[in-house]
Amino acid sequence: PPEPPPPRAMALFDERKYKEDDEWGTYISPFASIDKGSVIQDCRVFNDLQLNVQRCKDVLVKLLYIVGHGERLTSEEATNVFFSVTKLFQSKDQSLRRLVYLAIKTLADISDDAFIVTNCLTKDINSDVDVFRAHATRVLCRITDAQMVQAVERYLKQEIVDRNPLVASSAIVAGQQLILHNKGDVVRRWVNEVSQALEHPSYMVQYHALGLLYLIRQHDRQAVQKFAQNLARSGVRSSMAQCLLVRIIARLATDAGPPPPGEPRIFYDFLETCLQNRYDIVMMEAANAIVSLPGLTSTELQPAIAVLQMFLGQPRTVLRFAAMRTLNKVAFTHPVAVSACNVEMEALIGDQNRSIATLAITALLRTGSEGSIERLLKQIQAFMVEIGDEFKIKVVRAIDALCVKFPSKHYALLNFLGNALREEGGYEYKRIIVHTYLSFMERTPDQKDICLGHLCEFIEDCEHTSLSTQILHLLGEEGPKMAEPAKYIRYIYNRLVLENARVRAAAVAALAAFAASTNLTDDLRTSVAALLRQASFDNDDEVRDRAAFYIDSLGLADPGGPDIEGAAKKTQLMEIAPCPLANLEADLLQYLAHGDKSNAFDLGTVSKAAMPGAEPAKPKNFDPSAELEDFDDAAASHPGAAPAAAKNLAENVMAHPRLGALGRPFKSSAPFELTEEGTEYAVSCMKHVYASCIVLEFNIINTLEDHQLRNAYVDLDVADVEGVGQVENIPAAELPYNVPGVAYSILHLSEGEHSLGTLGCVLKYHLHEVTSSGEVEEGYEDEYVIDELTISVSDFVTGPADLPPSFKAAWDDLGDAHQVIDSFALSNYKTIPSAVAAVTDFLGLSPCEGTEKASEKAQGHTVLLAGIVSPNVQALVQAQIELQGPDGVSLNLVIRSESDAVSSLVASSIA
């Protein structure tokens, strides 16, 4: 028979309630019928002269339940409940008091009178009951401010060195929370007591004390390094504290970076010593820390690999999983080193834990030799049906990496992916496989025929409309170029007969692409025209309209119609939108919100540039999901996780009542700092470029607790920048302590000018001192010099929203009327890939047709770049880079645009 539900710990659940539907019945939650109003009404029992302890506990549990599940109490409700809860301090029942402490912590953020329990909590801190002392300490530090904590500092210091581990740990954890909530000035005076707590008999206290010591000194690198060296020399007894010490030392070693050749790595000897620790958890932590260090050599990696190899044979599942996960991560960067564990990892393919088996397979696929690939694929084939889609995706990505590593095994690997496509699986899993095929076709054009064959077989039974339409679009682009285009037409026709309207419409577009191709014979084109005419009688409007459009534009109604090549080019031009659709939508919404309705919307003003905050345009077959990811990154690797939305850098200026009328900026830069860390004021800047002006958005934070700034703005020196007229400032009205504020400066530009140069910056404001009681005194004018900011060519250049489908066609369309040719010597770059990356980043243009990829051994390379220059001028660049030996590289630029000024501007950016 099935096991009964687990017993409930709290008194509220003493009585089991079941419906007699089966042997044990159906469990009914005690919270199923409660609501906020009834719970607040029940809180009146806290005011009874004779407390019913059991009844009070029941009500408190319900109160914590509704608040924890999102019920919002008004300030008045929270305050009334809070007052009632405080009356329960008269009870000595420990379980009730624990619920009282929880309720106070929960209601303190909502109620306006949380300070009234300070005396009660202080009394409990001095109580003889250790449980009361511990919980009262944590609650008091949670609800009070830094000034109030100073009043009980003496008690907290005593508790840190208390013999009771619960009391000591509570005081130390309270100190950690004070630091994390910016109330840690008092805590920084506890170094002696916390250091003494490191010798406490309780391992828990040692662990918490080490964490607090690190938080106290975390901003002083030298102090952290000194106390880490002392602890590494003397050691700590607690295994948890040892793990934390390993993490601290690993962070120090990572921040220090790889050592110069011949010098030892900082703290490496300590980490290597921890590999022989008596605790498995410390050994695992040390191994994980070593393999995560930057610039690791094979010699330094070997001791950690040996420990992980030993853990692979342990009976404990958690050890096998931890070791396998770490080895899987190392296999990305050091596959040869991990190959020593291949025998142990092959034994884990049949592990009962599917996570371990998946990690073992993906690691073996990266570390295995070319001869073992087919054997591994056979083992994986039977294994795939037993795991979920999340783990299948890991395997597919490992297969994609193998396609790059072993070109001779393409046929076996592609067959494996084809079989995986036809098996059961969710949308995300099938999407990843399809994108793997697309990226493979981009890397290996001679294998397109095999890839298209597998994708055609897939759409015969595909349940996902979006994947079917994507593959049909691909067939329309690549199918006519293949040696036997007729075999793909059959698959497309099947979709016209068997699928839904969206897929049928995509099939019509694919057939039209075949009809427009010059590679087809007349007989085959006649057959395609017959299929399109049949589709013109479809019962769906979209399918009929598409078929009629293509039949008419391609001249398929008349067998002796116009030249097919000219008709195809005309049809392609008709399908191209005059501007990026995302930009058109954004500008239309902006026009409706802020535009002058007396003037019609001008389609020619829609920018062709990528919108601020949007992802740059990528080649059509670019596959972001094909990037290999760390198994630990659960958010990115989870198949159901949605991609994070891009941050709109222009959000603030577009929402501003004065600046919103300017419309959407042409380009917005990422924020950059104008002050050093730890100074009195923190200032960062974002540049928003418009056709007639530049808006500088200054984010200002006042880090002085006893000062307040008013009417703060950044005064700009524009003497060295040509083309800047009036400078208009919009100050931040008020900047209290640690509250961000925003000030704006508008640089009005002369018509047609791209103003370049360096601006001097001075933060000006009215400074007001704030008393200890919170009163703001009379202020005076003051200023603070911050770093200069530079306006460069790249601020006026951005990538296009859509890359040109054919760079050659776009290049020819621009012509050479405004062409500029220039040559440069780049002595700082010794390899072609580094020079390609530098030129692409500096110009701010987007690479086309995969030309951003260059071989490390290449002697020369040509990069094709496309971009938009403010206000809305297209620019194309052919950058030819050649290696010149020890002198670096030479750069030859050929620039075409729609104006001489823009071409010269792009060329001058390199000079």
Side-chain angles (χ1 to χ4, degrees):
E3 294 184 3
R8 290 173 290 282
M10 284 185 274
L12 179 65
F13 306 144
D14 283 347
E15 296 296 330
R16 298 184 178 181
K17 301 176 182 179
Y18 296 99
K19 294 178 181 177
E20 299 298 333
D21 293 340
D22 51 35
E23 185 172 352
W24 289 105
T26 301
Y27 170 67
I28 301 176
S29 170
F31 304 111
S33 59
I34 64 173
D35 60 88
K36 183 179 76 171
S38 63
V39 172
I40 293 177
Q41 188 79 9
D42 291 342
C43 288
R44 295 180 178 180
V45 300
F46 304 154
N47 300 320
D48 294 346
L49 294 177
Q50 297 293 328
L51 287 178
N52 184 332
V53 173
Q54 186 59 54
R55 176 64 175 155
C56 291
K57 287 193 286 187
D58 292 351
V59 175
L60 279 176
V61 169
K62 291 181 179 180
L63 175 66
L64 293 171
Y65 176 84
I66 63 170
V67 175
H69 281 71
E71 275 291 351
R72 297 188 61 85
L73 303 182
T74 65
S75 179
E76 182 180 357
E77 290 173 339
T79 300
N80 292 336
V81 172
F82 193 86
F83 270 104
S84 299
V85 169
T86 57
K87 297 181 180 180
L88 299 179
F89 273 102
Q90 59 183 303
S91 173
K92 300 300 181 182
D93 185 89
Q94 292 193 11
S95 60
L96 177 59
R97 290 289 283 274
R98 292 178 68 181
L99 289 171
V100 169
Y101 294 129
L102 281 175
I104 291 173
K105 287 176 64 177
T106 304
L107 299 173
D109 293 330
I110 312 173
S111 173
D112 298 328
D113 300 308
F115 63 90
I116 63 172
V117 296
T118 302
N119 290 335
C120 296
L121 293 173
T122 305
K123 181 179 178 182
D124 279 356
I125 288 177
N126 295 311
S127 169
D128 295 332
V129 182
D130 290 334
V131 173
F132 293 173
R133 295 172 59 199
H135 294 308
T137 299
R138 300 180 69 169
V139 175
L140 181 62
C141 293
R142 171 69 176 81
I143 68 173
T144 57
D145 55 18
Q147 190 173 6
M148 185 70 70
V149 173
Q150 292 179 359
V152 293
E153 179 184 7
R154 177 168 59 89
Y155 305 120
L156 296 176
K157 283 185 175 182
Q158 292 174 355
E159 288 186 341
I160 290 175
V161 295
D162 196 274
R163 289 179 299 175
N164 187 293
L166 177 61
V167 175
S169 278
S170 295
I172 295 171
V173 170
Q176 294 177 359
Q177 293 300 315
L178 288 173
I179 291 179
L180 294 176
H181 290 86
N182 298 318
K183 297 185 285 189
D185 291 339
V186 174
V187 181
R188 292 182 174 89
R189 300 197 293 262
W190 300 354
V191 173
N192 292 335
E193 288 78 9
V194 178
S195 299
Q196 187 177 346
L198 281 173
E199 304 298 327
H200 198 283
S202 170
Y203 285 179
M204 176 179 66
V205 176
Q206 294 176 29
Y207 169 70
H208 289 146
L210 179 57
L212 181 55
L213 269 181
Y214 175 73
L215 287 177
I216 291 173
R217 298 172 173 172
Q218 61 181 332
H219 298 299
D220 187 348
R221 178 177 172 80
Q222 295 297 327
V224 173
Q225 186 166 335
K226 183 177 179 181
F227 102 81
Q229 286 175 337
N230 292 336
L231 289 176
R233 194 179 303 114
S234 60
V236 288
R237 298 189 305 275
S238 167
S239 59
M240 296 181 291
Q242 289 179 33
C243 287
L244 182 57
L245 179 60
V246 168
R247 293 191 179 187
I248 294 171
I249 286 177
R251 177 172 293 184
L252 290 172
T254 301
D255 293 343
E263 293 189 13
R265 187 184 294 271
I266 181 174
F267 289 122
Y268 179 79
D269 290 341
F270 171 77
L271 294 176
E272 191 173 13
T273 303
C274 290
L275 294 175
Q276 282 82 43
N277 197 282
R278 60 175 177 163
Y279 296 110
D280 291 339
I281 187 174
V282 178
M283 295 172 65
M284 189 65 236
E285 192 67 46
N288 193 52
I290 288 175
V291 302
S292 301
L293 296 177
L296 215 62
T297 64
S298 299
T299 305
E300 293 171 327
L301 190 63
Q302 189 55 43
I305 296 293
V307 170
L308 296 172
Q309 185 177 10
M310 177 188 68
F311 282 159
L312 292 180
Q314 294 294 318
R316 293 175 60 193
T317 302
V318 66
L319 279 180
R320 296 199 308 277
F321 174 78
M324 195 61 254
R325 183 177 61 176
T326 304
L327 286 171
N328 186 275
K329 179 173 65 176
V330 180
F332 279 101
T333 54
H334 297 84
V336 177
V338 180
S339 62
C341 308
N342 279 0
V343 175
E344 288 80 3
M345 289 192 295
E346 285 193 29
L348 292 178
I349 293 179
D351 196 280
Q352 293 181 351
N353 187 297
R354 296 291 85 186
S355 299
I356 296 175
T358 305
L359 289 168
I361 285 173
T362 53
L364 283 168
L365 290 175
R366 298 187 188 99
T367 62
S369 62
E370 189 170 2
S372 64
I373 292 301
E374 295 186 10
R375 176 171 54 83
L376 281 174
L377 291 179
K378 289 180 181 179
Q379 290 181 278
I380 297 171
Q381 194 73 51
F383 165 79
M384 292 286 281
V385 298
E386 303 176 10
I387 60 176
D389 285 359
E390 181 178 0
F391 299 120
K392 290 179 181 178
I393 290 172
K394 298 294 179 184
V395 175
V396 170
R397 286 175 176 157
I399 294 290
D400 187 29
L402 279 183
C403 292
V404 180
K405 187 176 180 182
F406 300 122
S408 63
K409 298 297 181 182
H410 283 170
Y411 186 77
L413 295 170
L414 292 176
N415 280 341
F416 176 86
L417 292 176
N419 292 332
L421 264 180
R422 291 187 288 273
E423 292 175 355
E424 292 293 326
Y427 167 76
E428 187 69 15
Y429 171 51
K430 298 297 178 70
R431 186 187 69 84
I432 294 294
I433 299 178
V434 170
H435 279 280
T436 300
Y437 273 115
L438 297 181
S439 61
F440 181 79
M441 291 170 61
E442 184 181 358
R443 292 192 304 261
T444 317
D446 58 334
Q447 301 289 331
K448 284 184 178 180
D449 195 31
I450 298 176
C451 294
L452 289 177
H454 287 297
L455 293 175
C456 286
E457 293 291 340
F458 169 58
I459 61 173
E460 288 290 296
D461 298 310
C462 181
E463 302 173 352
H464 309 290
T465 299
S466 59
L467 293 181
S468 294
T469 55
Q470 183 180 9
I471 294 172
L472 287 169
H473 177 71
L474 178 67
L475 289 175
E477 287 189 333
E478 302 294 343
K481 304 173 187 176
M482 298 294 103
E484 299 179 26
K487 68 179 182 181
Y488 302 110
I489 296 176
R490 177 175 65 85
Y491 291 102
I492 298 174
Y493 173 69
N494 289 343
R495 308 281 67 76
L496 272 177
V497 177
L498 304 172
E499 292 288 355
N500 58 49
R502 284 181 58 191
V503 177
R504 296 201 304 273
V508 168
L511 286 174
F514 276 83
S517 172
T518 57
N519 295 337
L520 263 65
T521 62
D522 291 339
D523 291 341
L524 192 55
R525 183 174 289 107
T526 302
S527 300
V528 172
L531 296 178
L532 286 174
R533 284 193 294 271
Q534 180 181 339
S536 65
F537 297 99
D538 195 275
N539 57 8
D540 183 78
D541 294 345
E542 175 71 15
V543 179
R544 291 198 306 272
D545 291 347
R546 286 196 186 196
F549 166 75
Y550 288 121
I551 290 172
D552 181 68
S553 61
L554 293 173
L556 298 177
D558 181 10
D563 175 56
I564 190 63
E565 186 173 355
K569 185 173 183 180
K570 177 184 175 183
T571 304
Q572 291 172 0
L573 291 174
M574 292 173 66
E575 291 178 331
I576 298 175
C579 57
L581 296 181
N583 292 10
L584 176 60
E585 180 187 16
D587 284 2
L588 283 171
L589 292 174
Q590 186 74 10
Y591 172 77
L592 293 174
H594 303 285
D596 182 6
K597 307 303 187 299
S598 61
N599 297 322
F601 179 80
D602 185 3
L603 193 63
T605 61
V606 178
S607 175
K608 301 175 184 177
M611 288 193 294
E615 286 290 322
K618 297 181 175 69
K620 60 186 178 183
N621 286 341
F622 180 84
D623 177 24
S625 64
E627 297 290 332
L628 294 176
E629 302 171 355
D630 189 351
F631 188 87
D632 294 337
D633 192 357
S637 65
H638 195 281
K647 178 177 175 58
N648 185 2
L649 300 174
E651 182 178 2
N652 289 341
V653 291
M654 294 182 67
H656 194 278
R658 161 72 174 84
L659 302 175
L662 295 174
R664 183 166 54 87
F666 169 78
K667 181 179 181 180
S668 296
S669 70
F672 56 92
E673 299 296 330
L674 294 177
T675 55
E676 297 181 358
E677 186 178 355
T679 55
E680 293 94 328
Y681 310 112
V683 183
S684 63
C685 178
M686 293 172 60
K687 293 178 279 189
H688 306 280
V689 178
Y690 294 82
S692 59
C693 64
I694 299 175
V695 175
L696 302 176
E697 178 183 339
F698 297 99
N699 291 281
I700 309 169
I701 299 178
N702 168 28
T703 63
L704 299 178
E705 190 171 359
D706 55 350
H707 288 78
Q708 186 179 105
L709 309 186
R710 293 182 179 176
N711 295 323
Y713 68 96
V714 176
D715 186 41
L716 302 172
D717 181 5
V718 298
D720 297 334
V721 182
E722 296 182 0
V724 176
Q726 179 186 1
V727 178
E728 182 180 351
N729 294 312
I730 303 177
E734 189 173 276
L735 292 173
Y737 165 66
N738 215 31
V739 177
V742 182
Y744 298 94
S745 294
I746 307 173
L747 308 181
H748 295 274
L749 307 180
S750 302
E751 185 175 356
E753 284 285 344
H754 295 97
S755 300
L756 308 175
T758 301
L759 306 175
C761 302
V762 178
L763 177 63
K764 294 188 175 182
Y765 47 84
H766 280 81
L767 181 64
H768 299 259
E769 293 189 0
V770 181
T771 64
S772 58
S773 60
E775 296 180 1
V776 180
E777 298 181 348
E778 290 293 327
Y780 55 90
E781 292 186 0
D782 200 358
E783 62 183 39
Y784 184 80
V785 178
I786 58 179
D787 293 345
E788 299 176 334
L789 66 87
T790 302
I791 300 176
S792 61
V793 173
S794 61
D795 292 323
F796 297 93
V797 181
T798 187
D802 298 316
L803 290 174
S806 169
F807 185 88
K808 183 179 184 303
W811 181 265
D812 293 339
D813 288 343
L814 278 179
D816 58 1
H818 307 292
Q819 178 172 290
V820 171
I821 302 176
D822 211 340
S823 300
F824 307 91
L826 307 178
S827 58
N828 294 333
Y829 304 99
K830 306 301 180 184
T831 64
I832 294 295
S834 62
V836 168
V839 170
T840 303
D841 291 342
F842 192 78
L843 291 177
L845 303 172
S846 296
C848 300
E849 300 179 1
T851 54
E852 73 277 10
K853 301 173 184 176
S855 171
E856 290 285 347
K857 300 179 180 179
Q859 297 296 310
H861 187 74
T862 299
V863 188
L864 307 178
L865 302 169
I868 307 296
V869 180
S870 176
N872 196 17
V873 181
Q874 184 182 21
L876 300 177
V877 176
Q878 291 188 18
Q880 185 177 0
I881 303 172
E882 294 183 358
L883 199 59
Q884 301 294 330
D887 297 330
V889 299
S890 64
L891 172 64
N892 298 313
L893 287 181
V894 183
I895 305 165
R896 289 186 179 182
S897 73
E898 299 169 357
S899 75
D900 289 330
V902 168
S903 298
S904 301
L905 177 72
V906 175
S908 67
S909 65
I910 299 291

